[in-house]
Amino acid sequence: MQQAAAPGMVHEIGPEGIVRVTFDRPGSKVNLLTPEILEALDRLLDDLARREEVRGLLFESAKPGMFLAGMDVEALAALEDAYEAGEASRRGQTVFRRLEEAPWPTACAIAGTCLGGGTELHGRAVIVASRQCYRLDLADGVGDRWQFEAHGGD
């Protein structure tokens, strides 16, 4: 059974212990990371850490041709000052670090656009499956700089 963690993100735990987190921003052609999604991911990691049946975590998108397009720029623009922006950046980095340090393997199934924070999410995953090849060198919405070369095929 799927559980809505935040608008644009649902998750379910399969019988084999694989948690599928699906991004699907309502009413939009793109999936964006929002403060609410990052908070929901943080809560989900807390919940999953207490569950013995969890064996892996898979991130995917319900939108054709779109994984994640990064942070919601409207949410970034709403930050009032540099201190608030720094705090928001640190919260995002903390969530991504927790994914990297998870006690089970994490994977991203990418079948389309992956930018900004989406690229950071895929950079923290142990397994990345992609249908395309990208070379990215970018600064993301939570303050890190990444360089990737991802290969995939049809």
Side-chain angles (χ1 to χ4, degrees), residues 26-49:
S28 177
K29 292 181 181 182
V30 299
N31 292 318
L32 299 173
L33 289 175
T34 63
E36 294 80 18
I37 285 180
L38 289 172
E39 289 171 20
L41 279 174
D42 200 37
R43 286 191 311 271
L44 178 61
L45 291 171
D46 285 341
D47 179 48
L48 297 179

Side-chain angles (χ1 to χ4, degrees), residues 30-117:
V30 299
N31 292 318
L32 299 173
L33 289 175
T34 63
E36 294 80 18
I37 285 180
L38 289 172
E39 289 171 20
L41 279 174
D42 200 37
R43 286 191 311 271
L44 178 61
L45 291 171
D46 285 341
D47 179 48
L48 297 179
R50 294 188 294 271
R51 300 181 75 151
E52 291 184 20
E53 74 271 23
V54 174
R55 297 184 48 227
L57 182 58
L58 171 67
F59 293 95
E60 62 188 358
S61 172
K63 296 191 183 304
M66 165 57 54
F67 181 64
L68 277 171
M71 284 298 295
D72 180 350
V73 294
E74 291 181 9
L76 295 175
L79 299 172
E80 295 191 16
D81 56 33
Y83 178 79
E84 190 175 353
E87 288 298 305
S89 176
R90 280 185 282 285
R91 282 192 302 273
Q93 289 171 3
T94 298
V95 172
F96 287 126
R97 193 171 308 109
R98 288 188 70 197
L99 286 169
E100 189 174 38
E101 296 169 353
W104 1 261
T106 56
C108 290
I110 301 171
T113 303
C114 179
L115 302 169

Side-chain angles (χ1 to χ4, degrees), residues 101-131:
E101 296 169 353
W104 1 261
T106 56
C108 290
I110 301 171
T113 303
C114 179
L115 302 169
T119 305
E120 183 166 353
L121 176 63
H122 115 349
R124 303 296 173 111
V126 173
I127 302 164
V128 177
S130 175
R131 294 181 52 136

